[in-house]
Amino acid sequence: MIYILTNVCRLLLAAVFVLSGYVKAIDPLGTQYKIDDYLTAVGLSGYVSEWMTLFTAIVLAATEFALGIYMLFAIQRRLVSKLLMVLMSVMTLITLWVYFFNPVKDCGCFGDAIHLTNGQTLAKNIVLLLAAVVVVKWPLHMVRFVSKSNQWIVTNYTLLFIIVSSAWCLYTLPLFDFRPYHVGADLRKGMEIPPGAKQPQFETTFVLSKNGETREFTLENYPDSTWTFVDSKTVQTEEGYVPPIHDFSIEDPNNGDNITTEVLNRKGYTFLLISPFLEHADDTNFGAIDQIYEYAKRHNVPMMCLTASGDAAISRWQDLTGAEYPFYITDGTTLKTMIRSNPGLMLIKDGVVINKWSHNALPQLKRLDAPLEKQSIGQIDPASVTARITKVVLWFVLPLFLLTLADRLWTWTKWIKKQRRRNKLYTLLKIKRRKMRKKIVAGNWKMNLNLQEGLALAKEVNDALAADKPNCDVIICTPFIHLASVAGVLDSQLVGLGAENCADKEQGAYTGEVSAEMVKSTGAQYVILGHSERREYYNETPEILKEKVLLALKNGLKVIFCIGETLAEREANKQNEVVKAELEGSVFNLSAEEFANVIVAYEPIWAIGTGKTATAEQAEEIHAFIRSVIAEKYGNEVAENTSILYGGSAKPSNAPELFAKPNIDGGLIGGAALKCADFKGIIDAWKK
C-alpha cells in the first residue's frame, strides 16, 4: 500500500511540475511579467532590474521542469524529494498570502495555459505538499525508469532542452500560445459577451500634460489636442462576465477617437506593429520593419504601431528608425499579452489573427513580393500546432522514451544473465550448503524406559556409533531422570544429549518443573520444545513456548522446535498456514543470531505413532515451504543453514528415501529410537 501511495504521489508531483515548468519556460516574458506583478504587490518593483526578473523567470521554469522530470524518472530520489518538499512549502506559504490578501488575481502557476482562482491554487498546493511529504518519507519506494548509471543522460539532456527551449522562445515567440490573441483567434468574438450575461464596467483613464501640469481624464472629459498624452490605464469598476479579450482598445492620440471597431471590422489584412513601450523596444531590425511598411503601402495593406508610450518616445522612435507608419495608443498590459516581443508584428484579417512574428524573426522582403493572399504568411497554417507538438516529441519525449526502452531492455537482459549465473551458482551453493548444513538424527524416548533400561540403551547406542562412525550428528533426548546418568556414559563427540522439555520459568515455587538451567547443568546440550503431545495434552500455547525457547537459548541450549498439522488440518489443505503460524508464534521473535541455535522438526501429527508416514514428496514439499518461510523472515542464508528434520514415523526402510530429499536434513525419531538396531539403521541412511 505504501509502495502504491508513494508512486502515485510521485507521478502526481511529476505531472504538475513538468506542466508548470514547461508552460513557464516557453513563455519566459510572461513568467517575467508575473514576477513583476508579485514584486509590485510587495513594493519592490523599482528595486529589481528587468534582467534579474527575466533570469529568475528562466531559472524558476527550468527548476520546476527539471524537478518534475527527475521525479518522474526517480533520479536522486532522496535529494529531489527534499527539494520538492522545500519548494512546495515555500509555494504554499505564498499562496496562503495570496489567498488571504489577494495581491494578484491569478498566481500564474501554469502561465496562461490554465487559470486558477487563488482558492483553487491554495487547494492544489496543499494536495501537492501532502504528496511531497509522502515521497520524502519513502523516497526509495519510487521505481526507477532508468538505471542509475544512465541517469546523468536524463539529467543533462533535460536541463539542456528546457534552457534551449526558453532561449528560443525568448528570441522568437512562445512555441505554444495560450493567450486569447493566438494565431487563429477572432478578436471580435473574443470581446463578445453572451446574451443575458452581466456586463462588467471598465473605465479608461488618460494621463495628459500641458504647460507643466499633469492631469487624469476619462473619455467623457477628454480635453482638446493641446494636451500631451503621457499614459493610460483601464480598470474594472464593476464585476460581471469578463470575455477573454476585455481590455483591447485602440485610441487615436491626436483626437482621442476609439478606432478599435474600425480596425477589427475592416475587410482584408492589417499589419499591427506592437510595442508596449517604445522606450524599451529593440531597434536592431528597424530596417526590416520599414521594408514591411513599404510592402504594405504597395499592396494597400494598412500598417499601424500600437503602443502605450507617449509622444516623446514615439518621436524618438521615429527619429531613430525613420518610421512613417501611424502610432496609436493601447494599454501596455494588453500589448504585452498580444505578443511576447517588443516590438512584435501581428497580421490580422477580418479581425482574425493570421500570423505573429518576433522582431528577431520578421518575414523577409523576398517573401513579400506578391499579395498576402498568395503567400503562406498570409494564411493560417492548420498544421502549426501539430507540427510544434511533433517537434517537442521528436526533440525531447522520443529520445527519453528510447533511452528508457533501451535501458530497461539492457537491464532486463543483464538481469536474465545474472539470474542464469545465479541459478547455476545457487544450484552449486545449494548442494554445498546442503553438505554444510548439519545432518541430524535425534531420538525422542518420550516417557519410556526406567533409569537402568535407559542407561543400557544409551551405552549400546554409544558403543555402536563408536564402532561405526556416523555420517551425521546424533542426539538422544531422554526423560529428566536419565539426563545426568546418561551424560556419564555418552561420548559427547559421538552423541549429543537433550531433554524432552523444560519449564517456562527460571526458578521458584513451581513444584515438579525442571528449568532450562537445570537441564544444562546435567550436561545436556539440546531440548525439544513445542512437541505436539505437549501442545495437546498440556495445553502449551505459543506464548508459553516463546518463553521456553528464550530461556533455553539464554542458558546455552540448542532448541529442537517441533511444528506440524493434524489430520483434519492436512485434509483441509491448511498445513502451510499451521506451520507458518507456529513458527511466527514462538520463534520468529528471535534475532537471526539466536535463530541459528534452533533446529526445526516438522512432525505431521497424523503420522506420529500411527504407522502412517507422509510420502517423501509430501515431506519435501512442506519442508521446502518451511525453508521459504524462514527465508522470508531471516533471508536465504539463514534459511539455507537451518536444519529441518522430519518427525513422522521414520523407519530404517523409508529413511533413505526421505533423507535423499534436498530440504530434509534428518529425522526426529520416536518409537524407532528405543531400539538400538532400528535407530542405528536410520542413522546409517545418511551413508546410502
Side-chain angles (χ1 to χ4, degrees), residues 615-630:
T615 65
E617 287 70 26
Q618 286 176 316
E620 167 62 16
E621 181 181 0
I622 191 73
H623 276 237
F625 173 75
I626 293 168
R627 200 174 304 283
S628 72
V629 171
I630 296 171

Side-chain angles (χ1 to χ4, degrees), residues 434 616-617 619-620 656-665 686:
R434 176 162 167 76
E617 287 70 26
E620 167 62 16
E657 183 183 8
L658 288 167
F659 293 174
K661 297 298 180 182
N663 284 292
I664 299 177
D665 303 313
W686 281 113

Side-chain angles (χ1 to χ4, degrees), residues 374-414:
K374 296 182 179 181
Q375 300 202 56
S376 60
I377 63 171
Q379 315 299 325
I380 296 176
D381 183 1
S384 62
V385 174
T386 304
R388 291 170 187 175
I389 293 174
T390 302
K391 287 180 181 178
V392 174
V393 170
L394 291 177
W395 281 102
F396 186 69
V397 178
L398 184 61
L400 290 190
F401 173 76
L402 293 177
L403 171 66
T404 303
L405 183 63
D407 180 87
R408 291 299 89 191
L409 287 173
W410 175 72
T411 303
W412 180 72
T413 304
K414 191 176 175 183

